[in-house]
């Protein structure tokens, strides 16, 4: 049976600041995304996973399009600990900055796969070196500058006494005059170094960051560990999560999700089939779940139909009845049953079918009449 392999990926939170930066530079961020076949939803949903190669290409394309060599470095000036999403919650959850950094390293795959960091302490000097495992044909200068400055910004947030004496090392030659670099960081930058690295006094590691509550730390550690060790149908889990993220933007298409996962559409369909499902089934399951949640909140059925990508209310009603056994107007949230069944005898058979058991068999989908998906 084919097994789902995760490529080098990074959370779309890494694009934080892209829209305002592009506005400053008078370029179109959506055009940059389109060239990498990335949906606009990545600017709104920080937890989507995108190809690390695409991220690096986008930074290079942004620098070339704007004629601005410090594109990656400037983008990092919009970013800090919050860029790492859930990892930012555990960053302050330990007794020292060093222990916090070690926790981030253990779980960094949750934010990105394709980058490694190595923390070393030699006497009075600490060093975090960063390496990339990406396509060797991709110029990495933009990515390196963003990553090093982002790491420096995050460390400054973690270290309450500051990062005095820190220095940034970059393996490449300077892309602009040094005065331009100084506008973005207070730390000196050395170029043509052996490694891309953040160098700082080892005393920083002994500082005590402001911790969140023990409950938050334990909860987040458990969540990250579950993500790391999740083995049951990882492909279905990933595709379903992407569908849920992209439905509100009207971009939950097979093409968009295959592109995000760097897979061919046919390959994705084939591997879904090997896991006992298909894209249409997962899409309908996501729509049914969103619809039930919205109906329980009392939202308008007309608005709900449009938000789910249906061009006509009647098409949505037919689809909902196929999923639930009743129309959305007759749906009742009590125990997940249609309203006309909630008083029925326990001996009476229910017409409600859980969405997990639903399999779409209508190849033509005559009742859908919806927008392309």
């Amino acid at each position: 049976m084919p097994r789902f392999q995760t490529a080098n990926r990074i959370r779309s939170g890494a694009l934080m600041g892209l829209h305002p930066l592009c506005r400053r530079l008078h370029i179109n961020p959506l055009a940059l995304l389109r060239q990498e076949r990335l949906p606009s939803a990545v600017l709104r949903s920080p937890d989507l996973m995108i190809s690390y190669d695409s991220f690096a290409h986008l930074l290079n394309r942004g620098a070339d399009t704007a004629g601005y060599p410090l594109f990656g470095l400037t983008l990092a000036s919009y970013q800090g600990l919050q860029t790492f999403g859930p990892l930012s919650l555990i960053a302050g959850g330990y007794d020292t900055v060093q222990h916090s950094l070690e926790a981030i390293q253990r779980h960094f795959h949750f934010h990105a796969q394709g980058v490694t960091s190595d923390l070393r302490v030699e006497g009075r000097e600490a060093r975090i070196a960063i390496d990339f495992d990406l396509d060797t044909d991709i110029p990495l200068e933009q990515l390196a500058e963003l990553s090093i400055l982002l790491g420096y910004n995050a460390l400054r947030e973690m270290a309450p006494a500051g990062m005095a004496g820190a220095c940034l090392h970059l393996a490449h030659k300077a892309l602009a005059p040094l005065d331009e670099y100084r506008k973005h960081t207070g730390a000196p930058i050395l170029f043509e170094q052996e490694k891309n690295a953040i160098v700082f006094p080892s005393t920083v590691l002994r500082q005590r960051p402001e911790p969140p509550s023990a409950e938050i730390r334990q909860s987040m550690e458990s969540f990250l560990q579950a993500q790391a060790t999740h083995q049951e149908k990882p492909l279905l889990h990933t595709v379903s999560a992407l569908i849920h993220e992209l439905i509100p933007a009207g971009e939950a298409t097979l093409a968009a999700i295959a592109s995000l996962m760097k897979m061919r559409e046919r390959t994705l369909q084939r591997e879904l089939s090997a896991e006992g499902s298909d894209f249409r089934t997962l899409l309908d399951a996501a729509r049914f779940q969103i619809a039930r949640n919205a109906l329980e909140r009392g939202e308008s059925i007309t608005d709900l139909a449009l938000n789910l990508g249906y061009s006509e209310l009647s098409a949505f009603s037919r689809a909902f009845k196929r999923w639930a056994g009743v129309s959305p107007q007759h749906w009742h949230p009590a125990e997940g049953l249609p309203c006309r069944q909630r008083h029925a005898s326990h001996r009476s058979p229910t017409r409600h079918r859980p969405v997990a058991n639903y399999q779409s068999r209508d190849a033509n989908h005559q009742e859908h009449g919806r927008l392309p998906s």
Side-chain angles (χ1 to χ4, degrees):
M1 176 181 297
R3 292 186 61 83
F4 171 51
Q5 302 291 331
T6 56
N8 290 337
R9 302 184 302 162
I10 187 168
R11 285 178 68 254
S12 54
L15 295 170
M16 181 181 297
L18 180 66
H19 190 273
L21 174 59
C22 288
R23 187 168 60 243
R24 278 176 52 188
L25 298 175
H26 307 292
I27 61 176
N28 185 350
L30 299 182
L32 296 180
L33 295 175
R34 281 195 298 270
Q35 289 171 309
E36 291 303 319
R37 299 185 65 189
L38 294 173
S40 60
V42 298
L43 296 182
R44 300 185 296 272
S45 301
D47 291 320
L48 294 174
M49 298 301 289
I50 64 176
S51 159
Y52 217 142
D53 286 359
S54 292
F55 179 58
H57 278 305
L58 186 144
L59 295 177
N60 293 334
R61 202 182 299 277
D64 292 342
T65 302
Y68 183 64
L70 299 188
F71 189 89
L73 190 80
T74 307
L75 184 60
S77 67
Y78 290 88
Q79 302 183 3
L81 263 179
Q82 61 178 331
T83 304
F84 300 124
L87 293 182
S88 65
L89 295 178
I90 66 170
Y94 293 84
D95 55 349
T96 66
V97 169
Q98 180 168 355
H99 290 156
S100 294
L101 287 173
E102 290 168 349
I104 290 174
Q105 284 184 308
R106 285 197 301 273
H107 298 299
F108 200 72
H109 55 270
F110 179 76
H111 176 71
Q113 300 108 40
V115 60
T116 58
S117 62
D118 180 34
L119 172 62
R120 295 182 180 271
V121 181
E122 297 178 358
R124 297 182 178 180
E125 182 179 276
R127 176 186 301 255
I128 300 176
I130 298 176
D131 286 309
F132 304 101
D133 180 22
L134 302 179
D135 185 337
T136 55
D137 292 332
I138 302 176
L140 297 177
E141 290 87 352
Q142 296 295 327
L143 183 60
E145 292 192 356
L146 179 144
S147 301
I148 290 297
L149 184 56
L150 170 57
Y152 172 70
N153 290 343
L155 270 172
R156 285 200 302 174
E157 291 183 52
M158 293 172 62
M163 286 277 288
C167 181
L168 309 184
H169 288 195
L170 291 168
H172 57 267
K173 296 180 179 180
L175 304 178
L178 295 183
D179 286 346
E180 292 299 313
Y181 280 92
R182 294 191 186 103
K183 294 178 181 178
H184 301 285
T185 174
I189 303 179
L190 300 180
F191 295 91
E192 299 182 76
Q193 301 298 299
E194 181 181 358
K195 292 277 190 180
N196 298 306
I198 308 163
V199 182
F200 54 96
S202 59
T203 53
V204 169
L205 296 174
R206 296 192 289 274
Q207 293 185 33
R208 187 180 186 89
E210 289 292 329
S213 68
E215 293 77 13
I216 291 177
R217 187 181 75 190
Q218 292 167 2
S219 173
M220 189 51 59
E221 286 273 18
S222 298
F223 171 72
L224 293 172
Q225 188 63 33
Q227 291 291 323
T229 59
H230 183 70
Q231 296 296 321
E232 184 180 355
K233 297 189 181 302
L235 178 61
L236 302 188
H237 175 80
T238 300
V239 174
S240 293
L242 288 172
I243 288 173
H244 275 272
E245 290 285 353
L246 295 176
I247 279 177
E251 297 173 335
T253 66
L254 176 64
I257 289 175
S259 176
L260 278 171
M261 299 177 70
K262 287 298 177 182
M263 299 175 72
R264 294 180 181 273
E265 293 178 36
R266 289 184 178 180
T267 301
L268 178 55
Q269 286 281 44
R270 184 172 63 251
E271 297 201 10
L272 286 173
S273 178
E275 299 243 1
S277 189
D278 56 62
F279 183 79
R280 176 63 64 179
T281 296
L282 296 178
L283 178 61
D284 280 350
R287 282 171 162 158
F288 186 31
Q289 181 177 336
I290 292 172
R292 284 180 296 169
N293 293 340
L295 292 174
E296 289 175 9
R297 294 192 299 267
E299 295 184 12
S300 160
I301 295 177
T302 301
D303 290 344
L304 173 58
L306 292 174
N307 291 339
L308 289 177
Y310 290 86
S311 57
E312 298 176 358
L313 177 58
S314 59
F316 167 65
S317 295
R318 286 193 294 272
F320 191 93
K321 187 171 183 179
R322 178 166 49 82
W323 302 328
V326 294
S327 67
Q329 291 86 348
H330 293 103
W331 172 261
H332 193 278
E335 300 179 356
L337 296 175
C339 63
R340 68 169 178 262
Q341 294 175 352
R342 65 184 186 274
H343 298 302
S345 164
H346 292 294
R347 295 189 301 272
S348 300
T350 177
R351 293 179 57 198
H352 174 60
R353 294 173 294 171
V355 69
N357 295 328
Y358 168 71
Q359 296 290 325
S360 175
R361 303 184 186 277
D362 181 0
N364 296 319
H365 299 284
Q366 296 292 333
E367 84 283 12
H368 288 172
R370 55 183 165 229
L371 301 176
S373 59

